Amino acid sequence: MAGTRPESVEIVEVGPRDGLQNDKQLLPASAKAELIRRLAAAGLRRIEATSFVHPKRVPQMADAEEVLRLIGRLPGVSLSGLVLNERGFDRALATDTLDEVTFAAVASETFSQRNQGAGVEENLETWRVISRRAREAGLFRSVTIVTAFGCPFEGEVPVARAVDLARAVAEIGTDELSRADTIGVATPPDVEARFGAVAEALPGLRLRAHFHNTRNTGYANADAALRAGVAVLDSSLGGIGGCPFAPEATGNIATEDLVYMLGRSRVATGVSFEALRETTLWLEGEMNRRLPAQTAHVGLFPPGPAARTS
Ligand code: MG
């Protein structure tokens, strides 16, 4: 049963990582650093800055260390890096500029084998090691369950599977649990059922949601997630980010469109719509194309000076 929306929500900006990672057009490290600085200036307090994966697999993220070096410290902003294995974690730790690590647990065996090169259980054992080391290093730990709403190879992911995996991750240890609709198939009832079940099974665990707008259900899903007890939402500026299993798809839900929706829903984000809009228009110049976000192009309603939705 859908509950009421919270008074405020935390947005994690994932554009610099999830948004860019599959983009064929390589953005220079200096532009990525500028993007992250602009996002911080817009009021975003958590930014997934990069990932520490093999540069041959994800060429766009080959400059992880360089991007972080160019950014330096941003006061009041927590920067995170995605790691998939201990080697990635070693790299992340060595930068000495990250506040958070994000790890991907996988809901389906086939996707885990193909994407992580390890089975679901083996992957969880990797997290056991990284989780302990991250805690010792004082890093905030977030685990994202990918393909949490559907797998491109195995199809539906049952609610019971969602709960079992969430429990396994929570028992190993994490500060936050995210569920990602990696291929953009979820609908609001799926979101309510799965987050509702996890919230019931693991009360007190901080929940985060990651939606792609592949099938235009992303914003409805974000609203459903808030009403199901989720405290943190991911989005990407401009709606950048593809889906490797749907090449023509639009990307993650767009930060400015989400901020517009939440502002009109009386859910505070602390983020400036105007600063996001200006950043999207700047990024369109850097990428030489129009980005999927709608409000960056059509503007706010009602028109007039944009208020910071705090
Ligand atoms: Mg994603």
Side-chain angles (χ1 to χ4, degrees), residues 38-59:
R38 284 172 175 258
L39 291 165
L44 289 150
R45 287 296 162 259
R46 290 179 69 188
I47 301 174
E48 203 164 284
T50 189
S51 66
F52 298 89
V53 292
H54 198 290
K56 279 210 181 105
R57 287 200 68 184
V58 189

Side-chain angles (χ1 to χ4, degrees), residues 14 17-19 21-22 48 144 146 180-183 210-212 234 240-244 251-252:
V14 297
R17 200 281 301 172
D18 201 28
Q21 69 175 7
N22 292 312
E48 203 164 284
T144 297
V146 302
D181 186 15
T182 311
I183 58 173
H210 177 102
F211 296 115
H212 282 244
D234 290 6
I240 54 173
C243 172
N252 297 73

Side-chain angles (χ1 to χ4, degrees), residues 56-281:
K56 279 210 181 105
R57 287 200 68 184
V58 189
Q60 183 74 265
M61 297 289 117
D63 57 5
E65 284 85 354
E66 172 71 356
V67 171
L68 291 173
R69 191 186 64 73
L70 290 171
I71 302 165
R73 287 278 177 187
L74 293 170
V77 176
S78 182
L79 295 178
S80 73
L82 175 73
V83 301
L84 300 179
N85 50 41
E86 242 194 309
R87 179 188 296 244
F89 179 74
D90 287 337
R91 285 176 60 198
L93 202 57
T95 66
D96 210 27
T97 56
L98 289 177
D99 307 280
E100 305 184 22
V101 282
T102 300
F103 183 78
V106 187
S108 62
E109 192 62 37
T110 314
F111 191 92
S112 188
Q113 293 286 357
R114 295 210 193 179
N115 205 57
Q116 326 294 109
V120 170
E121 288 303 322
E122 188 186 342
N123 194 45
L124 285 177
E125 289 311 308
T126 301
W127 173 242
R128 191 182 298 282
V129 176
I130 295 174
S131 172
R132 178 179 51 74
R133 292 186 58 198
R135 194 188 60 229
E136 286 167 4
L139 295 170
F140 185 86
R141 300 162 299 168
S142 189
V143 174
T144 297
I145 297 180
V146 302
T147 67
F149 297 91
C151 169
F153 310 115
E154 295 181 16
E156 302 277 2
V157 173
V159 174
R161 175 84 192 121
V163 174
D164 289 348
L165 192 56
R167 191 176 278 124
V169 170
E171 278 171 9
I172 292 170
T174 187
D175 299 307
E176 176 182 87
L177 183 82
S178 176
R179 307 180 54 73
D181 186 15
T182 311
I183 58 173
V185 292
T187 60
D190 299 328
V191 172
E192 287 167 24
R194 283 163 179 78
F195 275 111
V198 170
E200 198 176 289
L202 297 160
L205 181 62
R206 186 173 175 79
L207 296 178
R208 168 175 166 186
H210 177 102
F211 296 115
H212 282 244
N213 203 33
T214 315
R215 291 170 178 81
N216 267 343
T217 56
Y219 302 93
N221 290 338
D223 190 52
L226 286 187
R227 288 148 57 98
V230 165
V232 187
L233 290 172
D234 290 6
S235 60
S236 99
L237 180 90
I240 54 173
C243 172
F245 303 96
E248 299 303 314
T250 57
N252 297 73
I253 57 172
T255 307
E256 57 268 58
D257 292 359
L258 180 65
V259 164
Y260 170 73
M261 182 182 83
L262 293 174
R264 295 277 289 172
S265 308
R266 301 188 184 285
V267 178
T269 62
V271 178
S272 159
F273 172 82
E274 271 310 315
L276 293 177
R277 194 183 67 86
E278 283 167 22
T279 303
T280 288
L281 300 180

